[in-house]
Amino acid sequence: YIQCFFFTSKLLISLMKTALTFLHGANQEESESFKTPGKNLTTALSEPTPGEVVSRLQAEILRKNRFVSAFGAETVESWGFDWNMLENSSVSFADSSRIAVMSQLYERLRKISRKRFDEEFSSLYTSFLTLRDRIFIVHEERLETVTERYFNKIFPGSNVECDAKVGGVQLGIKATVTLLSGERKKYHIKTHSEGRLSERSSAAKHVNPQELMIYKVLEYTGFGCESHFLQRNAEDVYIATLDASDDGNFNMFARASGHLGSGGDEVYGQSLWGNLQTIHSELIQNDWKSIETSIQSDAVTQNFVNQLSSLDMLTRILRLRDLLNNPENFGFVSKVGKYPILKVIDFRISDENVFHVNFEHFGGFLVGNGMYRYSDLHRAMRYVLHDRSQENRVRTALCVLTQTSLSKLHEHIDRAYQEIRGYILSTDVFADHISKLMEELDTYTQAVHHNVSFFTDKLQFWTPEDKLV
């Protein structure tokens, strides 16, 4: 194993040198179609783009005879790959067929690497891993280019510095934008939910306009961060959100509640949920009437209850998931002299593709669960969304829908719709997909308008006789 280690290390260094030599001069920006104009950069016409360089390197590494030599003709033929396509350097590395083969090859080679340590396989596997790294670097550099051009356009004279994103499966980066005034803004940029993944093996799909609209609805209701949309093409659409700490000190709820069995910061937590600190984890030991009375006497607790109830309503109306039951996807912004403000930093859209809610969904709200598994939450959240009496939860939900920022939810939805509609119609890369994108956007908009009216109506006319057990 030691000999194998030293051999592989030397081979990796040699291959990296070869790759770097092959890629020399390939750091010029690719010729791309951007709606947002950027700096004038002069690129020699004779020099290949980084994408073209990687496509050529891929064709060289994925030669059929290399795999036949390592695994035998019968095995390679059984894989069913289109080797003519793989060896054609004019086919882009971003072609969906090539992406699929890269994913399959990676899984095969990764498993084999646990058993084979011979020189021929090690050489093939190491060059393949080097190729995957180069492909990822090109995607990341493209994202950085789009990001710099976008923020230089909306903030003229600003300086944009990009850095690696920490965590998450989607391809993304962080960007610090320094304005002419000296003010610094931090943005988190990632692909849309069906875009490229950081694991480098999946082909991107067209952007879902419903996802873009949700970001705007959350922003306009105050529960989301400032959001921007950037693009290279219909698949490579990126979502940039302003850091949640831009106007205060943001902490994910996981800090207070704990996550995956780890304990939370109860002192910090009490600054969020106030008198709900007295709730015992063993439900039978709680005096629910006393707890409800304590809510009415503490403004911090009332703020916590109202904010969670508001986001619960938004979650059900917009058909979101992986939100309130994931303490790393939301948190609170704390600021001296103000009550904590709930902010969403990530979410997923329901997989059901049925966006209109009905009596079954209202029943899920009444029992305090539905598809959200609120019964598994931290005790303070569980009380607000699950253990609290149906009468009190109905009263609070109706209040937040009619007396807070959600009272203008129909207006927020229309505003978000118009913004995403304008983005689709005015962006060249969507020209061949307008019909499909607008159909998806219109369908979703009609559904969420219905959902607002449905929940408001059912809450207004609910009586204790309608209680569900």
Side-chain angles (χ1 to χ4, degrees):
Y1 287 178
I2 294 176
Q3 289 180 338
C4 177
F5 172 77
F6 281 114
F7 167 78
T8 305
S9 298
K10 290 172 64 179
L11 183 60
L12 178 59
I13 293 173
S14 174
L15 283 166
M16 287 297 289
K17 288 180 178 179
T18 302
L20 288 171
T21 300
F22 186 74
L23 295 167
H24 179 69
N27 60 346
Q28 299 289 332
E29 292 194 293
E30 286 188 83
S31 174
E32 300 163 324
S33 174
F34 294 105
K35 182 175 182 295
T36 304
K39 301 175 182 177
N40 292 323
L41 300 175
T42 303
T43 303
L45 295 178
S46 60
E47 290 189 3
T49 67
E52 291 171 340
V53 171
V54 169
S55 296
R56 295 176 187 176
L57 180 62
Q58 187 178 45
E60 177 64 23
I61 291 175
L62 300 185
R63 284 183 290 111
K64 182 178 181 179
N65 61 353
R66 293 190 67 186
F67 289 86
V68 169
S69 177
F71 303 107
E74 184 177 351
T75 297
V76 172
E77 289 294 341
S78 71
W79 294 347
F81 296 156
D82 182 355
W83 293 98
N84 290 328
M85 177 271 295
L86 295 175
E87 295 179 1
N88 184 352
S89 61
S90 65
V91 178
S92 170
F93 73 93
D95 180 88
S96 59
S97 298
R98 279 198 172 187
I99 292 174
V101 171
M102 286 290 293
S103 179
Q104 294 176 53
L105 275 176
Y106 173 66
E107 292 303 320
R108 293 178 188 276
L109 297 180
R110 184 174 61 84
K111 292 178 181 178
I112 295 172
S113 68
R114 301 169 184 168
K115 302 177 181 179
R116 281 187 61 171
F117 305 98
D118 58 279
E119 180 177 345
E120 183 172 26
F121 173 76
S122 296
S123 174
L124 178 61
Y125 188 40
T126 304
S127 61
F128 181 83
L129 293 178
T130 301
L131 172 62
R132 289 183 84 237
D133 287 339
R134 277 305 309 169
I135 290 174
F136 176 73
I137 290 171
V138 170
H139 284 310
E140 195 171 62
E141 289 176 345
R142 286 174 169 177
L143 174 52
E144 290 181 3
T145 299
V146 174
T147 299
E148 290 171 0
R149 290 184 176 185
Y150 179 84
F151 285 112
N152 281 328
K153 170 117 189 307
I154 66 171
F155 299 122
S158 62
N159 180 59
V160 182
E161 297 180 4
C162 297
D163 198 3
K165 176 174 75 80
V166 179
V169 299
Q170 292 166 268
L171 175 68
I173 58 173
K174 295 185 294 185
T176 300
V177 182
T178 304
L179 309 183
L180 282 175
S181 63
E183 179 185 359
R184 293 164 66 89
K185 291 179 171 290
K186 183 193 295 184
Y187 290 89
H188 302 271
I189 303 95
K190 65 178 181 179
T191 59
H192 63 96
S193 60
E194 297 184 355
R196 301 188 190 281
L197 305 181
S198 58
E199 66 181 19
R200 315 164 192 174
S201 60
S202 300
K205 298 179 182 179
H206 289 173
V207 66
N208 182 350
Q210 299 157 355
E211 178 183 12
L212 306 186
M213 181 171 167
I214 291 168
Y215 271 97
K216 284 301 176 182
V217 172
L218 290 173
E219 177 184 343
Y220 297 150
T221 57
F223 289 95
C225 301
E226 171 191 313
S227 56
H228 302 260
F229 309 121
L230 307 67
Q231 71 290 322
R232 289 190 68 255
N233 50 51
E235 295 84 17
D236 292 313
V237 175
Y238 312 108
I239 300 168
T241 53
L242 183 65
D243 188 84
S245 292
D246 187 69
D247 191 34
N249 182 28
F250 174 80
N251 285 284
M252 291 187 294
F253 191 67
R255 176 185 169 185
S257 66
H259 192 46
L260 298 177
S262 62
D265 183 342
E266 291 288 326
V267 175
Y268 168 68
Q270 189 168 6
S271 73
L272 303 178
W273 54 65
N275 287 346
L276 296 184
Q277 180 76 9
T278 60
I279 294 178
H280 200 282
S281 57
E282 295 185 20
L283 301 183
I284 196 172
Q285 298 189 33
N286 291 299
D287 181 344
W288 299 121
K289 284 188 176 181
S290 296
I291 291 172
E292 194 62 34
T293 299
S294 71
I295 293 177
Q296 307 310 318
S297 63
D298 181 45
V300 171
T301 310
Q302 292 175 27
N303 176 70
F304 183 74
V305 170
N306 288 338
Q307 297 231 1
L308 286 185
S309 298
S310 296
L311 190 54
D312 178 46
M313 281 290 96
L314 276 174
T315 297
R316 297 176 187 277
I317 288 168
L318 299 177
R319 308 296 293 132
L320 307 182
R321 63 184 182 90
D322 196 30
L323 186 43
L324 281 171
N325 53 351
N326 185 340
E328 294 186 349
N329 278 352
F330 75 98
F332 286 83
V333 177
S334 301
K335 198 171 183 180
V336 177
K338 293 188 176 182
Y339 296 121
I341 300 173
L342 194 156
K343 287 289 183 182
V344 175
I345 58 175
D346 205 359
F347 60 85
R348 292 186 183 183
I349 306 175
S350 172
D351 291 331
E352 295 179 2
N353 287 325
V354 178
F355 297 114
H356 283 77
V357 296
N358 53 37
F359 290 100
E360 181 181 353
H361 298 102
F362 186 67
F365 161 75
L366 289 177
V367 299
N369 235 22
M371 68 178 184
Y372 299 112
R373 299 180 62 84
Y374 287 159
S375 58
D376 296 335
L377 298 179
H378 178 272
R379 67 186 191 281
M381 283 188 64
R382 175 184 166 126
Y383 177 73
V384 175
L385 302 175
H386 179 77
D387 295 330
R388 199 175 182 215
S389 70
Q390 291 183 25
E391 291 94 331
N392 287 323
R393 285 192 292 105
V394 167
R395 184 177 64 252
T396 300
L398 180 60
C399 175
V400 298
L401 276 180
T402 58
Q403 299 179 32
T404 69
S405 65
L406 299 191
S407 65
K408 296 184 178 180
L409 192 49
H410 283 297
E411 296 176 30
H412 297 317
I413 291 169
D414 284 335
R415 181 183 175 191
Y417 169 81
Q418 290 299 332
E419 183 160 350
I420 303 307
R421 178 179 182 275
Y423 173 62
I424 292 172
L425 297 180
S426 65
T427 304
D428 294 342
V429 299
F430 299 137
D432 295 333
H433 313 283
I434 287 178
S435 178
K436 181 177 184 297
L437 293 174
M438 287 306 304
E439 180 182 359
E440 292 175 347
L441 184 63
D442 289 341
T443 298
Y444 182 71
T445 302
Q446 293 166 8
V448 292
H449 271 306
H450 159 81
N451 297 348
V452 175
S453 299
F454 178 86
F455 270 106
T456 303
D457 179 70
K458 294 297 174 257
L459 291 168
Q460 284 177 333
F461 294 100
W462 183 88
T463 66
E465 288 73 27
D466 300 321
K467 183 184 299 185
L468 294 183
V469 180

